[in-house]
Amino acid sequence: EPKRILIGSFLLTGIGCGILLLFTEATSVLLLMAALGVLGFGLGGTGTIFMKVVLSGLTPQEAGAGTGTYGLFRDLAAPFGVAVFVPLFTNQITSRIAAGTAEPAAAVASIHSLAAAEILCVALGIVAVACLPKRK
């Protein structure tokens, strides 16, 4: 069932974000690779399943419009996320450095803040998916 795959993918995404919370100033690059790898598998697992869920509720005549609409929102959401989270990340670092925090500590604190925000978004996504009707 697509709901199970989506919830599993969201859980992997949340685990990847949770690993980011383990970061310190002395963290190995291997931990970064592990966190981003798990995060990537989680996000990758949602892509095709979301498309299946979108198309499962449409008639064959509406499938083209549904695919196009899904693609439009997917293509708009990716740059929107970057446009929101990158300035948030850099502004947090800048303000922490201006307040007297060392640069590495400011970067780690910003990573922790963004990971916590991502975990919240993942939790909301899991709740939303749990509310979806059953589809096969």
Side-chain angles (χ1 to χ4, degrees):
E1 183 185 6
K3 278 173 59 168
R4 290 184 185 190
I5 296 171
L6 283 172
I7 289 173
S9 295
F10 275 132
L11 287 173
L12 276 176
T13 303
I15 290 168
C17 293
I19 295 172
L20 290 175
L21 291 174
L22 300 175
F23 274 36
T24 65
E25 296 164 24
T27 297
S28 166
V29 173
L30 293 176
L31 186 62
L32 174 65
M33 290 169 50
L36 295 179
V38 172
L39 185 64
F41 274 111
L43 290 174
T46 62
T48 56
I49 298 301
F50 272 132
M51 176 65 83
K52 182 177 179 172
V53 169
V54 167
L55 293 178
S56 70
L58 300 177
T59 65
Q61 294 81 11
E62 298 170 323
T67 303
T69 303
Y70 173 82
L72 170 74
F73 282 103
R74 184 194 61 221
D75 292 344
L76 288 176
F80 179 76
V82 171
V84 169
F85 282 107
V86 169
L88 235 154
F89 179 71
T90 56
N91 287 341
Q92 283 185 6
I93 292 174
T94 304
S95 65
R96 285 187 169 115
I97 291 171
T101 306
E103 290 178 9
V108 167
S110 292
I111 288 171
H112 289 168
S113 296
L114 288 176
E118 290 172 5
I119 289 171
L120 177 65
C121 291
V122 165
L124 292 173
I126 290 172
V127 169
V129 166
C131 293
L132 288 174
K134 277 193 165 193
R135 297 277 185 191
K136 293 203 179 208

